Amino acid sequence: MVYQVYPRSFKDSDSNGVGDLRGITSQLDYIRSLGVDVVWINPVYRSPNDDNGYDISDYRAIMSEMGSMADFDALLQGLHQRGIKLIMDLVVNHSSDEHRWFQQSRSSRDNPYRDYYHWWPVERGPPPKRWSFFDEEGSAWRYDSTTRAYYLHYFSRKQPDLNWENPRLRREVYAIMRFWLDKGVDGFRLDVIPFISKDTTFPPLPDEYGGDYVAYYAKGPRLHQYLREMNREVLSKYDLMTVGEGGGVSVDDALKFVAEDRQELQTFFQFEVVDRWGRRPGNFLYSDSSNRSLPALKGIFTKWDSVFATSGWGTVFLGNHDQSRMVSRYGNDTPPYRKVSSKMLHTLLLTMRATPYIYNGDEIGMANIRFTDIGDYRDLMTINYYNRLEREGGDLQEFLAAQAEVSRDNGRTPMQWTADTNAGFTRGPPWIRINPDYRTVNVAAAERDTSSVLHYVRRLIRLRKSEPVLVYGRYRLLDQGNPEVFAFTRSLSGRTLMVALSFSQAGGRTGLPAGYSAGKILISNLGRSPVRGAQLVLQPYQAVVLELKRK
Ligand code: GLC
């Protein structure tokens, strides 16, 4: 089980309003108390922070706001002393434009670092259209007058794409990986890894890709060659874990990345769940609450489970630093339902056949802050798109209403530790506003309240650890078309457990599978048993894991 820590927002130790490494180290007993095995931290390398650390200017140094290398070593040691592993974010599709390589690369056309990046000389005419995810003007090519050429940046103009065609660049990346592994880190989460290989002739974008450029940017022609090389040169030489950010990876080619005999990665995140639920198709900057079908969601989970039934291994998450809060999106964050629906969603995460990722703050049921003023936003994606709309005369109110539901900043507000000033996160001015619900939603209150989400999550984690059937057991979906209840079984060595989850304020009902009767309830988020003979009658957002007995 992995716990994701967003360092900028976890805990500030030096009162500059930004979370830091010492802050994380000060909370290691809390992290251990959850019962997780691994911590993943978002980038803490030196960075001008155009994209909160995903723009790295020195891969072997720590960002000054986060502390020093000694602080990093202390964090790693503290985790290891507690039996917890640490995985780092590896961001090597692009660097910062302030990285020495780019400074060199842009300085002249014959600089030895020129080919570390993708350049399009002006005499070839305008570069073929490529869209940027973050750029205010929309284009992923940026003109640089020093050498009269455009450089490629899929993300912001301060995040030039690295050129993986160049073997020198690849060797640099492998050396960076070895630097951290030799320090003792236990693996990597590989940022936008399917994007590293590109067709460097840059053919025109085919019409059928429409706005879905992830599908086109991912999985370039030499991707698997590079991943195998990375495995051979680095990964295979260490005892470690890898998880790729698998944007654009589909069920059809999933195993190419993670089947054991391919010798590439171990796991990746698939984005079908978070990209589809509550989002406008083809444009994830907008929400669409009508696009929330539980049968469709079940279909996605079930399809992905079957991909890894005999080979490879999956992951499951509902929140991270690029998503709005899990309870606000998939549950119900209004006061009567926040706790119960948070618990229900954790029950899903911890009963699937895949490695569960818990995002910091979800374990206390943190909810969307829903900014209404553009001035409160810190995420360049929201700000740049807003500026673009403003220039083009687009509908700013509609955009802000959508961002209140789906912006990444919803998931980035500071961790709520106590009911004190600034939620106990910092003694300085926080870098982003704190959700005012911290007075009731905070770790200290959750520790005192035995019915809190936090206590329930700890129990769930203990349950999963004590029940191999929840980790390895075969998964079978029940009652597929039921619009209110997600129900499935997990079976291993003659034992079968049933998981039933109400995704509805109306509760819901479902039947036990034929040939079984209900046995013991292993965990539930509500006191009352839902079992009525062969039926389960669930209260709003009720979750239950029960033993099934053969009749
Ligand atoms: C990944 C990260 C995201 C970042 C982007 C560019 O999607 O998760 O936070 O903005 O890559 O590095």
Side-chain angles (χ1 to χ4, degrees):
M1 270 161 285
V2 183
Y3 184 63
Q4 181 190 350
V5 170
Y6 193 63
R8 227 183 149 69
S9 298
F10 196 64
K11 177 84 181 162
D12 177 21
S13 71
D14 61 4
S15 309
N16 67 353
V18 176
D20 50 39
L21 294 168
R22 284 187 190 207
I24 305 174
T25 304
S26 72
Q27 299 303 326
L28 290 182
D29 287 331
Y30 170 73
I31 295 174
R32 182 178 55 181
S33 79
L34 300 173
V36 295
D37 308 300
V38 179
V39 165
W40 153 32
I41 53 169
N42 294 93
V44 294
Y45 315 93
R46 183 156 300 156
S47 165
N49 278 307
D50 189 49
D51 184 21
N52 290 3
Y54 282 93
D55 48 319
I56 298 169
S57 55
D58 184 344
Y59 288 91
R60 290 184 177 80
I62 298 293
M63 181 190 304
S64 51
E65 286 171 312
M66 295 275 166
S68 65
M69 194 57 91
D71 296 332
F72 176 83
D73 294 339
L75 169 62
L76 181 61
Q77 195 187 19
L79 283 164
H80 284 172
Q81 277 163 356
R82 289 165 180 81
I84 302 171
K85 304 210 181 282
L86 177 67
I87 65 173
M88 310 268 294
D89 229 297
L90 184 73
V91 189
V92 288
N93 172 69
H94 43 269
S95 72
S96 164
D97 67 335
E98 297 183 31
H99 194 290
R100 186 177 52 87
W101 298 335
F102 191 73
Q103 300 294 318
Q104 291 287 323
S105 183
R106 79 184 338 172
S107 66
S108 75
R109 288 193 181 188
D110 52 15
N111 187 281
Y113 289 90
R114 186 65 170 180
D115 288 339
Y116 273 43
Y117 298 87
H118 298 279
W119 291 97
W120 185 274
V122 76
E123 59 278 11
R124 287 178 70 183
K129 187 77 208 167
R130 285 295 180 276
W131 298 99
S132 156
F133 291 102
F134 295 160
D135 196 82
E136 208 180 304
E137 280 153 28
S139 172
W141 292 105
R142 176 91 185 148
Y143 183 65
D144 202 44
S145 58
T146 314
T147 58
R148 302 186 60 251
Y150 300 83
Y151 65 87
L152 183 74
H153 64 90
Y154 280 171
F155 296 90
S156 91
R157 53 183 76 161
K158 288 185 66 61
Q159 294 170 295
D161 282 53
L162 290 162
N163 177 12
W164 277 69
E165 302 291 298
N166 180 347
R168 270 183 66 207
L169 178 272
R170 302 206 298 277
R171 279 198 294 275
E172 300 257 21
V173 170
Y174 305 149
I176 290 164
M177 295 173 79
R178 281 191 288 266
F179 170 84
W180 291 98
L181 291 166
D182 291 340
K183 263 185 173 297
V185 313
D186 303 290
F188 297 105
R189 175 261 190 194
L190 298 98
D191 190 60
V192 293
I193 197 71
F195 291 18
I196 58 174
S197 165
K198 288 142 179 122
D199 180 344
T200 49
T201 64
F202 296 104
L205 288 185
D207 287 345
E208 73 257 31
Y209 287 106
D212 185 10
Y213 34 97
V214 176
Y216 185 72
Y217 288 179
K219 302 186 291 199
R222 271 181 281 281
L223 175 58
H224 293 287
Q225 182 189 319
Y226 298 154
L227 289 177
R228 272 199 293 277
E229 181 182 88
M230 179 193 281
N231 188 297
R232 200 172 57 238
E233 297 291 321
V234 186
L235 304 176
S236 61
K237 299 194 172 15
Y238 295 83
D239 177 16
L240 49 63
M241 111 170 220
T242 51
V243 55
E245 193 193 18
V249 179
S250 70
V251 287
D252 302 323
D253 56 10
L255 287 177
K256 283 198 190 151
F257 292 83
V258 298
E260 289 78 355
D261 61 356
R262 297 272 305 179
Q263 317 249 312
E264 295 190 16
L265 300 177
Q266 293 164 347
T267 55
F268 61 80
F269 299 123
Q270 57 86 1
F271 283 86
E272 265 191 73
V273 169
V274 296
D275 283 351
R276 292 234 193 122
W277 176 277
R279 287 239 157 118
R280 185 185 286 180
N283 188 341
F284 48 64
L285 286 162
Y286 286 87
S287 63
D288 178 357
S289 54
S290 67
N291 189 15
R292 286 188 183 166
S293 145
L294 185 61
L297 188 77
K298 293 189 256 188
I300 297 171
F301 276 111
T302 305
K303 184 174 76 171
W304 278 96
D305 176 82
S306 72
V307 172
F308 304 119
T310 53
S311 173
W313 187 252
T315 61
V316 56
F317 70 98
L318 289 171
N320 66 30
H321 65 292
D322 293 329
Q323 305 293 328
S324 52
R325 282 285 172 184
M326 166 174 104
V327 66
S328 306
R329 252 183 107 185
Y330 307 90
N332 183 331
D333 63 13
T334 62
Y337 300 115
R338 186 184 59 81
K339 274 166 63 176
V340 70
S341 67
S342 287
K343 293 177 189 176
M344 181 279 288
L345 294 167
H346 281 96
T347 314
L348 173 63
L349 289 176
L350 289 163
T351 57
M352 293 299 291
R353 177 166 62 177
T355 295
Y357 284 72
I358 297 174
Y359 182 55
N360 60 193
D362 282 349
E363 78 278 17
I364 55 167
M366 280 175 61
N368 284 353
I369 189 162
R370 299 193 174 89
F371 291 137
T372 51
D373 184 344
I374 188 66
D376 284 329
Y377 281 99
R378 296 292 175 267
D379 181 8
L380 84 169
M381 179 147 101
T382 302
I383 296 169
N384 287 351
Y385 199 79
Y386 181 93
N387 290 341
R388 182 171 160 191
L389 269 185
E390 190 169 46
R391 224 188 17 256
E392 293 170 356
D395 189 338
L396 295 173
Q397 287 322 311
E398 181 200 36
F399 177 67
L400 283 178
Q403 287 292 294
E405 292 307 322
V406 300
S407 83
R408 307 197 295 182
D409 278 342
N410 277 308
R412 297 177 176 185
T413 63
M415 182 76 180
Q416 296 163 198
W417 294 101
T418 67
D420 302 335
T421 320
N422 292 336
F425 162 69
T426 181
R427 285 183 301 275
W431 71 276
I432 188 170
R433 270 179 55 201
I434 296 175
N435 194 319
D437 73 8
Y438 77 88
R439 291 183 188 82
T440 49
V441 181
N442 62 66
V443 172
E447 293 284 9
R448 287 191 301 268
D449 169 11
T450 54
S451 74
S452 66
V453 182
L454 179 61
H455 284 292
Y456 182 82
V457 169
R458 289 185 179 132
R459 277 170 54 214
L460 263 175
I461 291 179
R462 281 201 298 274
L463 177 68
R464 183 172 170 109
K465 287 207 158 155
S466 65
E467 292 284 0
V469 58
L470 287 177
V471 180
Y472 299 107
R474 193 161 52 85
Y475 162 97
R476 188 160 71 87
L477 180 65
L478 306 170
D479 203 0
Q480 157 113 57
N482 190 320
E484 288 168 335
V485 180
F486 191 169
F488 54 90
T489 54
R490 303 291 311 275
S491 319
L492 185 74
S493 319
R495 257 184 98 211
T496 300
L497 304 184
M498 176 170 174
V499 180
L501 311 163
S502 159
F503 269 71
S504 165
Q505 199 174 318
R509 45 173 72 219
T510 189
L512 299 181
Y516 287 99
S517 61
K520 193 171 127 206
I521 292 183
L522 301 184
I523 196 164
S524 174
N525 60 355
L526 288 171
R528 189 144 161 250
S529 166
V531 181
R532 308 276 179 278
Q535 287 284 303
L536 296 182
V537 180
L538 299 163
Q539 304 294 303
Y541 304 106
Q542 186 164 14
V544 64
V545 180
L546 55 99
E547 188 100 44
L548 291 183
K549 294 185 302 196
R550 272 212 179 279
K551 279 207 233 164

